[in-house]
Amino acid sequence: MSAENVVPFASEARGGYADRTPPQDLAAEQSALGAMLLSKDAIGEVTEVLKGRDFYRLAHEHIYDAIMDLYGRGEPADAITVADLLGKRGQLAQVGGHIYLHELVSSVSVTANATYYAEIVRDKGTLRRLVDASMKISQLGYQASGDVNDIVDAAQQAIYEVSEGKRSEDYKALRELVEPTYDEIEAIGARGGGLSGVPTGFTSFDNLTNGLHGGQMIIIAARPAVGKSTLALDFARSAAIRHK
């Protein structure tokens, strides 16, 4: 796609970067979206890498969101259907209309490179967030408003948010993990100490695990040749008998 295609959107800025050009790659953004409009497989590949906020151009984020909306509903996501959805949202003119969507499609000859394009867009987005975080930290330092420890905490939070998208799948809020545990403890108390799961017949083990529960993976570890397989079979046999 030629440089002329992006000139109408040159004034569309995200974040305050003064006179400096923020990290971006509009060609990669266009290529990633074009691949998504051409291939359902490309949509799946790109969504593993990208989020809407990774796009520099707000119009590209609107197009991405429309594609994801259609894809999530199991509907076709091409230049026609995406244009229709954007029109219903009042965003079609903002993104450049039907012509721009078809230009995105025509700019891509090989959809197999979709993941590569998406990685470029993601990395540029991460760099922009890093720049934003550094500006925010600089302002916090110069303003020096409030307790220093609070300022440091705010600075650390700003840095953490730069890579939050990458870590969100690896970490969960403590509340999400603790609440189910409390619920289980309360359920045990309501049963007067009875097991909530299937007993194995091994009293000490049952007291520790509260019985076997669906979806669990129990690993029996010990030195070689001490009877791990036999013990596992005994567990399974005993649980099967008691579960009847």
Side-chain angles (χ1 to χ4, degrees):
M1 184 172 294
S2 63
E4 288 80 1
N5 294 113
V6 300
V7 171
F9 308 102
S11 61
E12 183 184 341
R14 304 186 69 174
Y17 299 92
D19 297 328
R20 303 187 64 177
T21 301
Q24 57 175 292
D25 192 321
L26 296 181
E29 293 188 11
Q30 293 168 330
S31 297
L33 292 173
M36 295 174 77
L37 291 170
L38 281 171
S39 168
K40 185 176 181 180
D41 291 337
I43 297 177
E45 293 172 5
V46 171
T47 55
E48 292 292 325
V49 179
L50 278 185
K51 292 184 178 179
R53 68 172 185 165
D54 292 322
F55 290 94
Y56 174 65
R57 273 200 54 212
L58 184 59
H60 287 165
E61 182 176 353
H62 289 330
I63 296 171
Y64 176 85
D65 290 341
I67 293 173
M68 292 307 303
D69 192 350
L70 293 168
Y71 179 73
R73 288 183 280 166
E75 299 177 9
D78 53 35
I80 303 300
T81 57
V82 170
D84 179 67
L85 181 55
L86 289 171
K88 293 176 180 177
R89 294 177 174 178
Q91 298 174 335
L92 185 57
Q94 298 176 27
V95 305
H98 289 271
I99 295 176
Y100 188 69
L101 291 174
H102 285 286
E103 287 177 349
L104 291 177
V105 172
S106 62
S107 70
V108 178
S109 58
V110 181
T111 60
N113 295 335
T115 300
Y116 178 74
Y117 304 143
E119 289 173 348
I120 295 175
V121 176
R122 177 201 61 198
D123 291 346
K124 296 296 184 181
T126 300
L127 291 175
R128 284 197 308 277
R129 289 191 291 275
L130 182 60
V131 172
D132 291 337
S134 66
M135 294 169 62
K136 179 178 179 180
I137 293 171
S138 178
Q139 292 174 355
L140 288 171
Y142 279 116
Q143 291 172 357
S145 177
D147 185 76
V148 172
N149 290 329
D150 292 338
I151 295 174
V152 172
D153 289 341
Q156 291 176 335
Q157 179 63 27
I159 292 296
Y160 170 77
E161 289 174 354
V162 171
S163 58
E164 184 180 22
K166 295 181 180 179
R167 299 181 180 180
S168 60
E169 295 180 359
D170 298 328
Y171 295 89
K172 290 186 177 180
L174 184 60
R175 182 178 59 184
E176 296 180 19
L177 301 175
V178 171
E179 286 183 354
T181 302
Y182 277 124
D183 292 340
E184 183 176 353
I185 293 174
E186 290 177 356
I188 293 173
R191 287 189 298 273
L195 298 179
S196 63
V198 178
T200 64
F202 296 86
T203 305
S204 297
F205 181 82
D206 288 338
N207 289 337
L208 288 172
T209 63
N210 201 29
L212 301 179
H213 299 77
Q216 286 184 328
M217 180 177 70
I218 306 230
I219 300 175
I220 301 175
R223 297 189 306 276
V226 296
K228 295 189 296 294
S229 299
T230 301
L231 182 60
L233 289 173
D234 287 343
F235 272 16
R237 186 182 303 111
S238 179
I241 292 174
R242 285 167 172 75
H243 191 56
K244 288 182 178 180

